[in-house]
């Protein structure tokens, strides 16, 4: 049978070989085993059930959550010469009857149905007459409440299957692989002794970037102006954000379309079509858009605001580059987004336990935004995949970032958390370090702590951001809940005791006008580094040198204000740098 599968792959689909994982899944299904295939978006799940469907006798039911896309899928199969149809509420009763009759008459190999349809009487009546040999449940994570696309009607699938006179082979397909969801799929769909295949989650052709602290509107505008004509999706958190952003872009004559659940169905369908056809190649949308869209030439996915968890992020970002060509996945991060997402979780009807769960998933997104490790590795690790090498192709790996030594700053933050007895959240910790003078600090007498005002040269935002970084790297640990407290993490002790260095990757800032000072400072840094037998970035970062060029400090106290210059480094290197800056004048 597998040889026949290969032949069909070549002949009908025109592909020379299976992609990673596809062959095993097809083979498993052909051996009549219930099969759960967990493969990332764009990996090619459809083929994994379409090929067996062609080889099995009788008909295959494909259960799919999205009525709006069934027609496209069926049309695509039609283009390949595969007899397929769909049955859903978009059709009139007479049409449904006709299609059901044709199905009974064996005219179709694949029939796409919405899960609601399974309960319809008209459908149930015909079941005895149908020879169903295979049921493919697409987007199977919809059965799980833990997923981000829960559909109650998916819960009826198992009962439907057991009502069949003969049990068909069941295949379940999803891109979402957390242990809870996996267990739910197996249990709630009633898979029997399933073969589970998890394909590598890596998508080599995608590059990942996190941009912190950029002006989002400007960024998107610049990006789109530079990428004229390329197809892409921009995800925003709320309907209002989508409307505002789309309107702004349209003003600048950027051909964008938009999509969210608050729009009329007809308008949504029209916009989706314009996007799919590249008439309006950029789609601004909420996360309501995208499931089942298999437009393969999406070149970029920008997250204008924070996704609510890593699963959702990877699925949404994964809509770029289905064709295997390069795709850019850019996440624009602003700390305010966390607050919005927390609010959205608060607004749900979830149980307290479930909310905790959602908060901790959101924390993983925050960690992703703050980590200085390879972003691809971070994502893959989240899905339980080890990868030894840095990818060299994410915003943390590429050389537009550099590594700086932040051990001293880390020690300040960690000791402050310790002094605060791990009883406060990140904002208050930052305020104490900054030396803020608000009522709460006075009331709690926190201004008497030895760690009060240890970091006056940094802005509150910088300190908060830095705390986020320390959390992401495991030096600090947040408790769960909407107002998490900051506690010391497993790696904190070694840093406080001076046994471990803390290094941080930072994006290189764009240079301001150059008059040669930067070069001189770099040279000095190199001399010192050679003398001390250290890499230059451990002396001062490029960012620090750049700020020196901007501020042009003339004495020790103004040099101390430059970000990256602390007491120790001031004492060690201050004089030499000041000398160069002064002589440059
Ligand atoms: P998924 O459902 O896993 O997100 P799709 O089934 O929509 O992915 O497939 C994504 C794209 O990959 C489609 O354009 C499909 O034609 C293409 N594709 C699938 N399998 C192969 C293959 N073996 N070789 C080349 N292209 C493939
Ligand atoms: Mg799919």
């Amino acid at each position: 049978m597998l040889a026949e599968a290969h032949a069909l792959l070549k002949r009908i689909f025109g592909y020379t070989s299976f992609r990673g994982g596809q062959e095993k899944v097809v083979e498993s299904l052909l051996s009549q085993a219930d099969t759960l295939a967990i493969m990332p978006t764009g990996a090619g799940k459809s083929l994994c059930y379409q090929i067996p469907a062609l080889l099995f006798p009788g008909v295959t039911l494909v259960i799919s959550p999205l009525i709006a896309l069934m027609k496209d899928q069926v049309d695509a199969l039609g283009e390949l010469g595969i007899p397929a149809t769909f049955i859903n509420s978009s059709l009139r009763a007479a049409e449904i009857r006709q299609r059901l009759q044709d199905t009974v008459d064996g005219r179709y190999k694949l029939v796409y149905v919405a899960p609601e349809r399974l309960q319809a009487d008209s459908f149930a009546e015909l079941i005895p007459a149908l020879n169903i040999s295979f049921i493919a449940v697409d987007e199977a994570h919809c059965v799980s409440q833990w997923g981000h696309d829960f559909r109650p009607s998916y819960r009826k699938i198992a009962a439907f299957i057991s009502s069949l006179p003969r049990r068909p082979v069941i295949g379940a397909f999803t891109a979402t692989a957390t242990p809870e969801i996996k267990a739910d799929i197996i249990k709630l769909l009633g898979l029997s002794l399933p073969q589970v295949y998890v394909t590598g989650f890596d998508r080599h052709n995608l590059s990942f970037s996190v941009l912190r602290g950029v002006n989002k509107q400007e960024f998107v505008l610049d990006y789109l102006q530079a990428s004229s004509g390329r197809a892409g999706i921009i995800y925003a958190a709320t309907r209002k954000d989508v409307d505002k952003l789309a309107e702004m872009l349209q003003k600048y004559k950027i051909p964008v379309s938009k999509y969210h659940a608050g729009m009329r169905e007809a308008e949504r369908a029209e916009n989706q079509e314009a996007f799919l056809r590249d008439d309006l190649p950029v789609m601004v949308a909420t996360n309501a858009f995208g499931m089942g869209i298999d437009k393969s030439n999406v070149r970029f996915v920008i997250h204008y605001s924070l996704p609510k968890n890593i699963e959702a992020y990877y699925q949404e970002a994964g809509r770029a580059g289905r064709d295997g060509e390069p795709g850019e996945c850019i996440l624009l991060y602003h700390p305010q987004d966390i607050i919005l997402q927390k609010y959205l979780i608060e607004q749900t009807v979830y149980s307290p336990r479930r909310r905790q769960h959602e908060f901790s998933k959101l924390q993983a997104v925050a960690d992703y935004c703050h980590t200085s490790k390879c972003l691809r590795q971070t994502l893959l690790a989240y899905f339980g995949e080890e990868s030894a090498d840095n990818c060299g192709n994410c915003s943390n790996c590429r050389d537009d970032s550099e590594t700086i030594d932040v051990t001293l700053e880390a020690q300040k933050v960690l000791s402050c958390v310790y002094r605060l007895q791990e009883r406060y959240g990140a904002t208050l910790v930052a305020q104490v370090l900054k030396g803020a003078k608000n009522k709460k600090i006075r009331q709690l007498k926190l201004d008497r702590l030895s760690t009060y005002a240890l970091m006056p040269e940094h802005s509150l935002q910088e300190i908060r951001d830095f705390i986020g970084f320390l959390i992401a790297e495991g030096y600090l640990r947040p408790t769960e809940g909407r107002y998490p407290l900051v506690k010391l993490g497993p790696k904190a002790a070694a840093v406080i005791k001076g046994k471990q260095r803390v290094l941080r990757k930072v994006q290189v800032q764009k240079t301001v006008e150059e008059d040669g000072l930067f070069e001189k400072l770099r040279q000095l840094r190199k001399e010192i580094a050679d003398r001390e037998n250290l890499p230059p970035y451990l002396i001062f970062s490029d960012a620090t040198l750049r700020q020196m060029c901007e501020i042009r400090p003339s004495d020790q106290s103004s040099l101390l204000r430059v970000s990256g210059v602390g007491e120790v480094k001031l004492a060690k290197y201050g004089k030499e740098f000041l000398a160069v800056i002064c002589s440059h004048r």
Side-chain angles (χ1 to χ4, degrees):
M1 280 269 252
L2 195 59
E4 290 170 59
H6 274 280
L8 286 181
L9 177 72
K10 181 84 190 57
R11 184 161 61 79
I12 302 212
F13 295 89
Y15 299 137
T16 43
S17 58
F18 281 114
R19 283 187 185 158
Q22 283 179 325
E23 183 169 1
K24 287 240 161 65
V25 173
V26 169
E27 193 177 11
S28 166
L29 288 167
L30 290 178
S31 77
Q32 308 273 328
D34 279 4
T35 303
L36 166 57
I38 301 168
M39 300 162 87
T41 308
K45 290 183 282 295
S46 323
L47 217 115
C48 294
Y49 58 78
Q50 287 163 351
I51 287 188
L54 294 175
L55 291 170
F56 284 137
V59 67
T60 289
L61 292 189
V62 181
I63 299 175
S64 164
L66 284 172
I67 290 176
L69 292 162
M70 285 182 188
K71 185 169 180 311
D72 286 353
Q73 282 158 353
V74 166
D75 287 349
L77 291 172
E79 289 297 305
L80 298 171
I82 298 174
T85 193
F86 65 89
I87 297 174
N88 64 34
S89 56
S90 73
L91 303 171
R92 276 178 309 170
E95 180 73 34
I96 291 180
R97 264 197 309 279
Q98 182 63 49
R99 290 188 183 197
L100 284 169
Q101 190 53 54
D102 288 346
T103 306
V104 171
D105 293 345
R107 297 242 186 112
Y108 301 116
K109 286 308 288 178
L110 289 109
V111 177
Y112 284 71
V113 294
E116 296 76 24
R117 184 63 27 197
L118 305 174
Q119 271 84 55
D121 287 344
S122 56
F123 204 74
E125 280 165 22
L126 284 171
I127 284 173
L130 288 177
N131 176 16
I132 302 172
S133 43
F134 176 29
I135 293 183
V137 184
D138 204 4
E139 314 286 0
H141 62 281
C142 291
V143 80
S144 172
Q145 292 223 41
W146 298 110
H148 39 88
D149 300 311
F150 176 52
R151 297 291 160 99
S153 52
Y154 264 62
R155 292 285 170 90
K156 305 277 171 63
I157 295 173
F160 169 76
I161 292 171
S162 29
S163 78
L164 295 175
R166 192 175 57 84
R167 192 178 188 283
V169 180
I170 314 295
F173 301 84
T174 180
T176 304
T178 60
E180 308 102 319
I181 294 178
K182 189 172 121 186
D184 265 6
I185 292 174
I186 292 173
K187 192 171 122 219
L188 299 170
L189 290 180
L191 301 187
S192 117
L193 305 173
Q195 299 287 318
V196 180
Y197 294 95
V198 183
T199 317
F201 260 60
D202 190 15
R203 299 271 312 279
H204 301 274
N205 57 317
L206 300 185
S207 69
F208 294 93
S209 302
V210 172
L211 300 181
R212 290 190 296 261
V214 296
N215 178 321
K216 295 181 180 189
Q217 285 207 2
E218 270 173 31
F219 173 84
V220 168
L221 193 56
D222 289 349
Y223 187 91
L224 294 181
Q225 276 167 343
S227 74
S228 57
R230 294 192 314 156
I233 305 173
I234 304 175
Y235 281 110
T238 64
R239 297 170 188 186
K240 218 170 97 196
D241 290 347
V242 167
D243 288 337
K244 263 171 52 188
L245 183 60
E247 194 181 320
M248 186 278 280
L249 293 169
Q250 279 155 357
K251 246 189 228 150
Y252 284 91
K253 303 268 180 293
I254 308 235
V256 301
S257 191
K258 67 173 181 177
Y259 190 105
H260 60 62
M263 290 159 50
R264 279 179 306 115
E265 168 126 19
E267 194 185 354
R268 267 184 293 167
E270 194 179 305
N271 289 0
Q272 177 171 304
E273 193 68 10
F275 171 71
L276 292 178
R277 289 172 191 267
D278 283 342
D279 294 334
L280 295 172
V282 177
M283 177 62 95
V284 182
T286 60
N287 62 5
F289 178 76
M291 183 164 54
I293 296 270
D294 46 17
K295 184 177 171 66
S296 71
N297 67 333
V298 175
R299 292 274 67 85
F300 61 86
V301 173
I302 296 176
H303 278 74
Y304 194 72
S305 27
L306 215 60
K308 54 179 176 258
N309 55 47
I310 297 280
E311 288 88 340
Y313 180 64
Y314 207 61
Q315 190 155 48
E316 288 157 13
R319 291 181 181 133
R322 276 173 191 256
D323 51 10
E325 292 291 305
E328 272 189 286
C329 309
I330 302 172
L331 199 163
L332 305 179
Y333 173 76
H334 190 282
Q336 195 68 30
D337 296 346
I338 298 258
I339 297 170
L340 173 66
Q341 285 296 346
K342 284 186 175 168
Y343 172 79
L344 293 177
I345 294 171
E346 287 285 303
Q347 296 304 302
T348 59
V349 295
Y350 295 153
S351 67
R353 187 169 84 92
R354 175 71 192 273
R355 275 190 206 162
Q356 289 300 336
H357 184 80
E358 298 295 323
F359 283 130
S360 63
K361 292 196 149 203
L362 180 60
Q363 182 60 44
V365 180
D367 288 354
Y368 175 75
C369 293
H370 283 110
T371 188
S372 62
K373 292 191 195 122
C374 169
L375 293 178
R376 185 186 306 275
Q377 268 181 346
T378 306
L379 289 167
L380 293 179
Y382 182 87
F383 293 112
E385 260 180 60
E386 298 287 328
S387 48
D389 297 324
N390 287 347
C391 76
N393 188 26
C394 67
S395 56
N396 285 345
C397 286
R398 283 188 301 262
D399 26 352
D400 52 354
S401 65
E402 58 170 315
T403 306
I404 57 174
D405 187 325
V406 291
T407 310
L408 191 67
E409 286 87 346
Q411 285 169 334
K412 290 179 185 177
V413 175
L414 298 180
S415 10
C416 185
V417 169
Y418 177 75
R419 294 275 167 229
L420 290 169
Q421 300 178 337
E422 307 180 302
R423 280 164 46 197
Y424 301 98
T427 304
L428 197 91
V429 175
Q431 286 172 352
V432 170
L433 285 160
K434 171 79 189 165
K437 297 187 168 64
N438 60 40
K439 201 166 137 205
K440 187 162 180 193
I441 289 196
R442 276 198 306 273
Q443 274 173 354
L444 295 166
K445 302 199 167 61
L446 300 179
D447 46 1
R448 298 188 194 170
L449 287 179
S450 58
T451 52
Y452 180 76
L454 265 188
M455 303 175 81
E457 72 278 22
H458 296 278
S459 71
L460 265 180
Q461 192 50 62
E462 279 168 3
I463 302 174
R464 283 231 39 178
D465 211 46
F466 188 57
I467 292 172
F469 160 77
L470 293 172
I471 290 173
E473 305 291 298
Y475 298 105
L476 290 173
R477 178 175 63 79
T479 58
E480 292 188 342
R482 177 151 187 209
Y483 301 104
L485 309 179
V486 179
K487 306 212 165 226
L488 293 177
K491 290 157 75 181
V495 176
I496 294 177
K497 288 181 197 147
K499 286 190 185 148
Q500 193 184 327
R501 278 227 166 102
V502 182
L503 300 178
R504 183 183 192 188
K505 282 232 171 79
V506 292
Q507 219 69 30
V508 175
Q509 320 251 306
K510 294 255 163 15
T511 13
V512 282
E513 273 195 71
E514 273 290 78
D515 66 347
L517 176 58
F518 184 78
E519 225 16 74
K520 289 184 191 167
L521 295 178
R522 236 162 70 107
Q523 204 156 354
L524 171 63
R525 178 177 68 174
K526 180 77 175 88
E527 284 166 27
I528 297 176
D530 290 347
R531 189 179 74 208
E532 307 268 321
N533 201 14
L534 284 170
Y537 66 79
L538 289 184
I539 309 299
F540 283 130
S541 71
D542 279 8
T544 298
L545 299 192
R546 285 215 169 89
Q547 213 180 356
M548 287 182 194
C549 296
E550 277 170 45
I551 297 179
R552 312 261 159 149
S554 53
D555 55 15
Q556 301 240 341
S557 69
S558 52
L559 182 55
L560 200 53
R561 246 175 271 135
V562 172
S563 148
V565 182
E567 309 259 359
V568 176
K569 285 192 180 173
L570 179 73
K572 268 176 133 172
Y573 313 124
K575 268 199 191 125
E576 288 171 274
F577 279 91
L578 284 171
V580 170
I581 294 167
C582 288
S583 71
H584 183 73
R585 291 209 190 95

